[in-house]
Amino acid sequence: RPPRSTLFPTRRSSDLPPGRRHTDPLSGRAASFLASRDGTVLAAVYDLGTRQTWSVGHGPPQAEASVVKLNILETLLAQRSRTGRGLSDHEKSLAKDMIEQSDDNAATALWNTVGGASGIRSFNTAAGLTRTSPSACVVCTGFPLPGWGLTTTTPADQINLLRQIVQQGRLLPEAQRSYALRLLEDVTADQRWGVSGGVSPKATIALKDGWLPLDSARTDWQINSVGWISGQGRNYLIAVLSTGNPTEQYGINTISTLSSIVWKNMG
């Protein structure tokens, strides 16, 4: 596996190297590809070097599915930072299972630990997430899966969430940011799809994926992927949400192909 990348402090516009600004990686071929796909795709890319942001797609916030597990983790880390104590061994075990294996039981336990929707909402307010709405229920009437997956968000908010662990900030100390990234870099191999699509094996990838059938017939899938891509002259955050996918694999293919286009465009 590639070496772990170092964390990046926030850079002022005066620090940016001349002549390094990118054209929109979500335009042209990327936009044409998305126009050919079923469902609704919302995506955003943020370049950490130039501080440029691009987005594509229109529509309301979408269900997070297991991507919300990153939000749970950051909320937990921020709460422990405020109290001046680290995670317990039990919390570390739950966090590892929740992120690396996408374990739902671990996520439910930590969702409750941080105070559920109110705890998540408090952290999100501090982090500047303005269009993320935590689910009001974990056991939701008529929905067989954990309700925290019905938390809704936007790509812009997910980019902001990723920046909390990739860039220096006031909410998470460097040790906690590094810890979160290690978990995201060690996601089990069969869940390393989506924003890793087309990315060089020499690059470092820290990601979290989400998948959720929105109907009992499993003909309407929510498929999401968010992450940090660093290496081979690139250093960017990417968040993709997609709903209305006829199958799980269809949504995975959509995000993986879009990721491949973005990787090439960011070179």
Side-chain angles (χ1 to χ4, degrees):
R1 59 180 292 119
R4 299 187 188 279
S5 296
T6 56
L7 300 178
F8 285 78
T10 303
R11 303 176 71 186
R12 303 183 302 273
S13 16
S14 58
D15 296 330
L16 303 179
R20 288 289 297 158
R21 296 183 69 81
H22 298 281
T23 57
D24 185 350
L26 295 171
S27 63
R29 183 185 167 204
S32 296
F33 167 71
L34 291 179
S36 73
R37 303 297 283 176
D38 292 340
T40 301
V41 177
L42 308 177
V45 174
Y46 175 77
D47 184 83
L48 285 139
T50 65
R51 296 171 60 190
Q52 292 173 272
T53 303
W54 308 271
S55 62
V56 68
H58 301 282
Q62 296 186 12
E64 287 201 40
S66 285
V67 165
V68 74
K69 292 167 183 174
L70 174 58
N71 204 166
I72 297 172
L73 175 64
E74 291 193 29
T75 301
L76 176 66
L77 293 174
Q79 289 180 352
R80 294 295 175 266
S81 175
R82 288 199 303 271
T83 61
R85 65 184 180 91
L87 303 187
S88 69
D89 289 343
H90 182 56
E91 288 170 341
K92 288 179 180 178
S93 178
L94 290 173
K96 181 179 178 67
D97 289 346
M98 177 178 70
I99 298 298
E100 295 183 6
Q101 304 293 329
S102 204
D103 185 271
D104 287 350
N105 292 330
T108 297
L110 291 179
W111 173 275
N112 292 330
T113 295
V114 303
S118 62
I120 297 287
R121 189 178 300 109
S122 178
F123 171 79
N124 289 353
T125 297
L129 277 64
T130 60
R131 300 191 66 199
T132 297
S133 300
S135 174
C137 55
V138 174
V139 179
C140 305
T141 303
F143 188 71
L145 300 173
W148 37 253
L150 297 177
T151 296
T152 57
T153 193
T154 63
D157 271 9
Q158 290 303 301
I159 293 291
N160 203 348
L161 192 63
L162 288 164
R163 289 181 65 179
Q164 305 305 314
I165 56 174
V166 175
Q167 293 183 303
Q168 179 181 340
R170 59 185 176 81
L171 296 179
L172 298 174
E174 182 171 347
Q176 292 187 334
R177 292 161 52 217
S178 296
Y179 170 74
L181 284 170
R182 284 197 301 273
L183 296 180
L184 295 170
E185 290 175 30
D186 289 336
V187 166
T188 187
D190 63 354
Q191 295 179 23
R192 295 182 65 79
W193 44 260
V195 298
S196 62
V199 174
S200 168
K202 296 181 180 180
T204 297
I205 303 169
L207 86 170
K208 186 69 193 81
D209 297 327
W211 56 99
L212 179 68
L214 297 174
D215 64 343
S216 58
R218 292 178 171 246
T219 57
D220 180 8
W221 282 82
Q222 181 75 44
I223 306 295
N224 306 326
S225 185
V226 305
W228 175 38
I229 312 297
S230 177
Q232 301 293 288
R234 300 161 175 85
N235 185 27
Y236 61 92
L237 307 176
I238 177 171
V240 188
L241 310 176
S242 68
T243 195
N245 295 288
T247 66
E248 179 182 8
Q249 190 60 51
Y250 185 94
I252 291 173
N253 292 346
T254 295
I255 298 178
S256 296
T257 301
L258 177 63
S259 168
S260 181
I261 296 171
V262 169
W263 167 261
K264 291 176 182 176
N265 287 345
M266 293 297 286

